[in-house]
Amino acid sequence: MPRGSNDVGLRCQALAMHAEGSSRQRIRDITGYSPSGFTRLLQKAKNKGYVVGGPILQRYVEDGKRSGRPSKKNAKSADLISAGAAAPEGQPGSNFSSASET
Protein backbone atom coordinates (compact mmCIF):
# COMPACT_ATOMS: atom_id res chain seq x y z
CA MET A 1 0.00 0.00 0.00
CA PRO A 2 1.43 3.40 -0.87
CA ARG A 3 2.75 5.41 2.04
CA GLY A 4 0.21 7.95 3.24
CA SER A 5 -2.74 6.13 1.76
CA ASN A 6 -5.83 6.67 3.85
CA ASP A 7 -8.63 4.80 2.14
CA VAL A 8 -11.11 3.96 4.89
CA GLY A 9 -12.82 1.35 2.70
CA LEU A 10 -9.61 -0.65 2.33
CA ARG A 11 -9.05 -0.52 6.07
CA CYS A 12 -12.53 -1.91 6.68
CA GLN A 13 -12.02 -4.59 4.04
CA ALA A 14 -8.69 -5.67 5.54
CA LEU A 15 -10.18 -5.94 9.04
CA ALA A 16 -13.20 -7.87 7.71
CA MET A 17 -10.95 -10.29 5.80
CA HIS A 18 -8.88 -10.85 8.94
CA ALA A 19 -12.04 -11.51 10.99
CA GLU A 20 -13.11 -14.10 8.40
CA GLY A 21 -9.77 -15.89 8.74
CA SER A 22 -7.95 -14.72 5.61
CA SER A 23 -4.18 -15.01 5.66
CA ARG A 24 -1.95 -11.93 5.77
CA GLN A 25 -0.78 -12.78 2.26
CA ARG A 26 -4.36 -12.82 0.96
CA ILE A 27 -5.06 -9.51 2.74
CA ARG A 28 -1.97 -8.09 1.06
CA ASP A 29 -3.01 -9.37 -2.39
CA ILE A 30 -6.50 -7.84 -2.13
CA THR A 31 -5.93 -4.60 -0.19
CA GLY A 32 -2.24 -3.91 -0.65
CA TYR A 33 -1.52 -3.81 3.09
CA SER A 34 1.86 -5.30 3.91
CA PRO A 35 1.88 -7.68 6.89
CA SER A 36 3.51 -5.04 9.09
CA GLY A 37 1.14 -2.33 7.82
CA PHE A 38 -1.85 -4.53 8.56
CA THR A 39 -0.49 -5.26 12.05
CA ARG A 40 -0.32 -1.49 12.71
CA LEU A 41 -3.86 -1.05 11.38
CA LEU A 42 -5.16 -3.89 13.55
CA GLN A 43 -3.38 -2.58 16.66
CA LYS A 44 -4.70 0.96 16.15
CA ALA A 45 -8.23 -0.39 15.65
CA LYS A 46 -7.96 -2.50 18.82
CA ASN A 47 -6.70 0.53 20.76
CA LYS A 48 -9.87 2.34 19.66
CA GLY A 49 -12.11 -0.51 20.89
CA TYR A 50 -12.28 -2.92 17.94
CA VAL A 51 -12.78 -6.59 18.78
CA VAL A 52 -11.87 -9.12 16.07
CA GLY A 53 -15.10 -10.55 14.68
CA GLY A 54 -17.18 -7.65 15.97
CA PRO A 55 -18.64 -4.78 14.02
CA ILE A 56 -16.19 -2.44 12.28
CA LEU A 57 -17.15 1.07 13.28
CA GLN A 58 -15.91 4.15 11.46
CA ARG A 59 -14.08 5.39 14.55
CA TYR A 60 -11.89 2.26 14.43
CA VAL A 61 -10.58 3.05 10.95
CA GLU A 62 -10.69 6.83 10.61
CA ASP A 63 -7.55 8.94 10.59
CA GLY A 64 -6.26 10.11 13.91
CA LYS A 65 -5.75 13.73 14.80
CA ARG A 66 -2.70 15.17 13.06
CA SER A 67 0.12 16.24 15.27
CA GLY A 68 2.25 19.23 14.55
CA ARG A 69 3.22 22.64 15.73
CA PRO A 70 0.23 24.51 17.13
CA SER A 71 -0.70 27.91 15.80
CA LYS A 72 0.93 30.83 17.60
CA LYS A 73 -2.34 32.74 17.46
CA ASN A 74 -4.38 32.98 20.62
CA ALA A 75 -7.00 35.39 21.92
CA LYS A 76 -4.46 37.84 23.37
CA SER A 77 -2.31 38.01 20.25
CA ALA A 78 -5.40 38.28 18.03
CA ASP A 79 -6.56 41.28 20.11
CA LEU A 80 -3.13 42.89 19.82
CA ILE A 81 -3.04 42.33 16.09
CA SER A 82 -6.48 43.82 15.55
CA ALA A 83 -5.69 46.73 17.90
CA GLY A 84 -2.52 47.49 15.95
CA ALA A 85 -4.37 47.41 12.67
CA ALA A 86 -7.05 49.75 14.05
CA ALA A 87 -4.61 52.38 15.40
CA PRO A 88 -4.89 55.74 13.61
CA GLU A 89 -2.08 56.69 11.28
CA GLY A 90 0.93 58.05 13.15
CA GLN A 91 -0.19 56.60 16.50
CA PRO A 92 1.66 53.89 18.43
CA GLY A 93 0.70 50.52 17.04
CA SER A 94 0.17 51.90 13.57
CA ASN A 95 2.02 50.27 10.72
CA PHE A 96 2.24 53.59 8.90
CA SER A 97 3.99 56.79 9.79
CA SER A 98 2.67 60.22 8.93
CA ALA A 99 4.51 62.49 6.55
CA SER A 100 5.37 64.87 9.41
CA GLU A 101 7.36 62.16 11.23
CA THR A 102 9.87 61.75 8.39
Side-chain angles (χ1 to χ4, degrees), residues 2-61:
R3 178 161 264 178
S5 178
N6 57 3
D7 186 58
V8 174
L10 284 177
R11 294 175 191 172
C12 291
Q13 185 177 14
L15 291 174
M17 290 176 70
H18 174 70
E20 292 173 352
S22 295
S23 68
R24 301 279 170 119
Q25 184 60 44
R26 176 103 171 112
I27 293 171
R28 179 186 182 123
D29 293 343
I30 302 295
T31 65
Y33 272 101
S34 66
S36 61
F38 176 74
T39 299
R40 281 192 305 273
L41 169 67
L42 183 59
Q43 189 59 49
K44 285 181 181 182
K46 285 180 177 180
N47 289 343
K48 294 176 182 179
Y50 172 67
V51 177
V52 176
I56 301 170
L57 303 179
Q58 184 174 353
R59 69 174 185 225
Y60 301 152
V61 293

Side-chain angles (χ1 to χ4, degrees), residues 50-92:
Y50 172 67
V51 177
V52 176
I56 301 170
L57 303 179
Q58 184 174 353
R59 69 174 185 225
Y60 301 152
V61 293
E62 65 189 2
D63 291 331
K65 188 172 182 179
R66 300 285 309 250
S67 63
R69 183 176 181 170
S71 173
K72 290 185 177 183
K73 295 179 184 177
N74 59 29
K76 185 177 179 180
S77 66
D79 289 342
L80 291 173
I81 291 169
S82 62
E89 187 176 323
Q91 296 296 316

